[in-house]
Amino acid sequence: MSIEDNKEVVRRYYEEAFNEGRTDLLEELIAKDVVNHDPLSNETLTPEEARGFEGFVRHVEVAREAFPDATVTIEDVIAEGDEVLVRFTFEGTHEGRFVGIEPTGNRIRGTNMVLMRLEDGKIVERWEESDSLDLLRQLGVLPPAEELARTA
């Protein structure tokens, strides 16, 4: 597969499978033995639930359950060899349990970076970095930075 083909797989994952909730596409885009290195998945799912293809599907389902109106807007895609790096904005309303936090009804918005490795046109490995501190502030679990600074 070419670099452009790999970028297209990642784009389809976010814009079609995730944004549209089309988990039926995941079989086409995700390898059966995919490894998902995502700290939020580890907090949301048991180690058994997070493994392999079924764990990846569950990762998507849990995110969609917690934020049913979630959308990902791709900002940048950079690829080299078998790796694709994507920077995106995530927006959604917290309407379901997420990493142990009961629904708040808060609207959240944040940027994430994900590095994916592909083989034979499928995602085989995924690493995500996000600003979890800002997410917890938006969910109301932590006070705003200004308030923390005043108490420090």
Side-chain angles (χ1 to χ4, degrees):
M1 304 290 293
S2 73
I3 287 175
E4 291 305 314
D5 291 335
N6 286 344
K7 288 166 70 174
E8 181 63 10
V9 168
V10 171
R11 184 203 62 75
R12 289 188 69 212
Y13 164 70
Y14 285 109
E15 293 180 356
E16 296 175 35
F18 188 86
N19 282 351
E20 297 174 16
R22 295 190 52 204
T23 54
D24 59 301
L25 285 177
L26 293 178
E27 284 190 41
E28 183 182 332
L29 305 172
I30 309 297
K32 291 292 179 199
D33 58 350
V34 65
V35 178
N36 189 14
H37 307 277
D38 182 349
L40 291 181
S41 281
N42 295 342
E43 292 175 20
T44 304
L45 306 170
T46 67
E48 294 78 29
E49 290 174 322
R51 285 196 188 104
F53 177 77
E54 293 304 320
F56 200 98
V57 172
R58 190 67 193 124
H59 163 82
V60 172
E61 291 171 343
V62 165
R64 300 285 311 167
E65 289 165 6
F67 302 93
D69 62 347
T71 58
V72 167
T73 303
I74 295 173
E75 307 293 346
D76 291 300
V77 179
I78 301 168
E80 184 174 321
D82 62 355
E83 295 179 325
V84 177
L85 177 70
V86 61
R87 183 178 66 85
F88 61 85
T89 302
F90 177 93
E91 295 184 75
T93 308
H94 183 217
E95 296 181 9
R97 189 175 170 85
F98 181 69
V99 295
I101 303 167
E102 294 300 323
T104 62
N106 292 0
R107 182 94 179 141
I108 62 115
R109 182 177 197 274
T111 57
N112 298 336
M113 285 194 199
V114 175
L115 177 66
M116 295 191 187
R117 189 172 63 79
L118 292 89
E119 286 180 8
D120 301 320
K122 292 191 176 191
I123 298 165
V124 295
E125 208 160 4
R126 176 182 179 276
W127 294 265
E128 179 164 354
E129 296 294 331
S130 58
D131 187 347
S132 298
L133 184 60
D134 186 50
L135 173 65
L136 292 172
R137 286 185 180 133
Q138 291 182 54
L139 292 174
V141 175
L142 294 176
E146 303 79 34
E147 189 176 319
L148 283 174
R150 280 193 303 267
T151 61

